[in-house]
């Protein structure tokens, strides 16, 4: 017999716990800033748009787009808007420059780091380079989500939508939705 299970959230309704969360939108509209603000709320236990985290957690941000200095600048830009931001809270926000290495090739190293540091959220910015292949390819998408499951922590993948030939906005394989 199977019983219904209500999803648990780190930050309701934005980040479902023990799930692969996805944030896809057009480029340049603030996806990275939004994800960092969520990470700050989780690090400090502070409110975000009326939602309070269910617990404080540490975050690992794996960056495929920017530099460590850009990451730090964005955190310090957002910090004044986050009650309880201290050096201690900032210490719960970890940064890794991917060096262009696909996520599936780093999965063992990231899993060890997540366990060692007690990470509760992994943010990957952004999906296409993290896949290590064409995100439209079902095998590539499946490999990406298998790597996330192996790492074994709640995740948030940031992706940029691209305009398809039919004028609609889309991203990758249908497996990004299904998995």
């Amino acid at each position: 017999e199977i019983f219904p299970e209500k999803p648990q959230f780190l930050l309701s309704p934005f980040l479902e716990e023990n799930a692969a969360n996805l944030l896809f939108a057009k480029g340049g509209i603030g996806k990275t800033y939004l994800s960092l603000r969520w990470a700050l709320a989780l690090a400090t236990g502070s409110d975000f748009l009326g939602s309070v985290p269910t617990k404080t957690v540490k975050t690992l941000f794996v960056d495929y787009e920017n530099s460590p200095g850009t990451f730090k600048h964005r955190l310090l830009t957002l910090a004044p808007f986050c009650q309880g931001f201290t050096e201690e809270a900032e210490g719960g926000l970890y940064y890794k420059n991917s060096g262009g290495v696909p996520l599936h090739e780093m999965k063992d190293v990231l899993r060890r780091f997540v366990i060692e540091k007690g990470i509760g959220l992994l943010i990957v910015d952004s999906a296409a380079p993290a896949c290590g292949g064409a995100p439209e390819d079902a095998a590539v998408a499946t490999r990406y989500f298998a790597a996330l499951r192996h790492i074994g922590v709640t995740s948030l993948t940031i992706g940029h939508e691209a305009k398809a030939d039919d004028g609609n906005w889309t991203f990758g394989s249908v497996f990004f939705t299904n998995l």
Side-chain angles (χ1 to χ4, degrees):
E1 187 173 355
I2 299 174
F3 297 97
E5 203 173 275
K6 183 179 175 186
Q8 300 297 308
F9 289 87
L10 289 177
L11 187 64
S12 181
F14 307 109
L15 296 170
E16 188 174 332
E17 192 169 11
N18 301 315
N21 298 275
L22 305 171
L23 177 60
F24 290 102
K26 297 175 187 175
I29 66 165
K31 295 177 299 296
T32 301
Y33 274 104
L34 180 61
S35 70
L36 290 175
R37 181 58 181 88
W38 288 341
L40 284 168
L42 290 167
T44 61
S46 65
D47 169 274
F48 177 78
L49 296 178
S51 181
V52 177
T54 56
K55 58 185 169 185
T56 58
V57 298
K58 297 175 184 176
T59 298
L60 171 59
F61 189 93
V62 179
D63 199 345
Y64 285 85
E65 295 191 339
N66 296 294
S67 68
T70 300
F71 172 80
K72 182 74 168 194
H73 170 77
R74 289 176 173 177
L75 278 181
L76 295 177
T77 298
L78 292 168
F81 303 100
C82 188
Q83 282 186 321
F85 183 77
T86 62
E87 284 186 29
E88 182 180 341
E90 185 179 1
L93 300 168
Y94 296 91
Y95 175 89
K96 174 158 182 52
N97 186 305
S98 70
V101 177
L103 192 76
H104 70 273
E105 292 181 20
M106 294 191 290
K107 68 183 182 191
D108 292 328
V109 170
L110 293 176
R111 179 178 171 82
R112 283 191 296 274
F113 187 86
V114 161
I115 292 168
E116 176 186 314
K117 299 294 184 182
I119 302 295
L121 176 65
L122 169 69
I123 298 175
V124 179
D125 189 7
S126 74
C131 284
E136 298 78 20
D137 183 331
V140 170
T142 301
R143 181 179 62 202
Y144 176 76
F145 285 99
L148 287 177
R149 282 191 301 280
H150 177 79
I151 295 166
V153 68
T154 302
S155 65
L156 172 63
T157 300
I158 301 170
H160 300 98
E161 293 181 335
K163 200 167 196 175
D165 292 337
D166 63 4
N168 291 319
W169 292 90
T170 185
F171 180 86
S173 163
V174 69
F175 287 94
F176 271 89
T177 302
N178 293 346
L179 295 174

